[in-house]
Amino acid sequence: YGRGQLGTMYQWTHDLHMAEIYSYFKQHRPDEYDHWVGEDGLPKAEAGEKRPDALVVVDGLAIRAIDFTGRYDASRLLALHNHCEERALPYELW
């Protein structure tokens, strides 16, 4: 997974959903699609921090976080919310 290894079924499902969101942006939000930075292009998260699955970055500034929540529980959603709120970063949950 990411390094030539296959991940769990959850990782596959998550990645397929992110691909669908990415495709949606290409079709319906091309200005943001052109500035999409996926998870592998983001800095590593610090311990206990939930980083988003993707960011829309314009001129080096993140203007929106995108996250596929799938089966997230309340604590994981709160961690993502706190991450974005601390940065005054709007976010979308899919």
Side-chain angles (χ1 to χ4, degrees):
Y1 178 67
R3 293 172 295 281
Q5 301 169 354
L6 296 176
T8 66
M9 181 62 83
Y10 175 75
Q11 289 169 320
W12 297 350
T13 301
H14 181 271
D15 288 350
L16 286 171
H17 280 94
M18 284 306 299
E20 186 174 1
I21 296 166
Y22 184 69
S23 177
Y24 176 88
F25 270 67
K26 183 173 184 173
Q27 289 182 305
H28 301 284
R29 296 164 66 177
D31 292 343
E32 292 176 291
Y33 166 82
D34 289 339
H35 298 282
W36 179 286
V37 178
E39 187 173 21
D40 289 341
L42 301 177
K44 296 286 183 198
E46 302 206 10
E49 182 180 59
K50 167 60 177 113
R51 79 176 171 179
D53 292 316
L55 293 174
V56 177
V57 179
V58 177
D59 296 328
L61 179 65
I63 64 166
R64 182 173 334 285
I66 309 295
D67 207 77
F68 173 70
T69 58
R71 303 181 317 191
Y72 286 4
D73 62 19
S75 66
R76 196 159 177 187
L77 289 172
L78 182 59
L80 176 64
H81 171 78
N82 290 339
H83 172 90
C84 293
E85 185 177 56
E86 289 168 5
R87 292 158 179 78
L89 179 62
Y91 62 92
E92 292 181 22
L93 301 177
W94 290 69

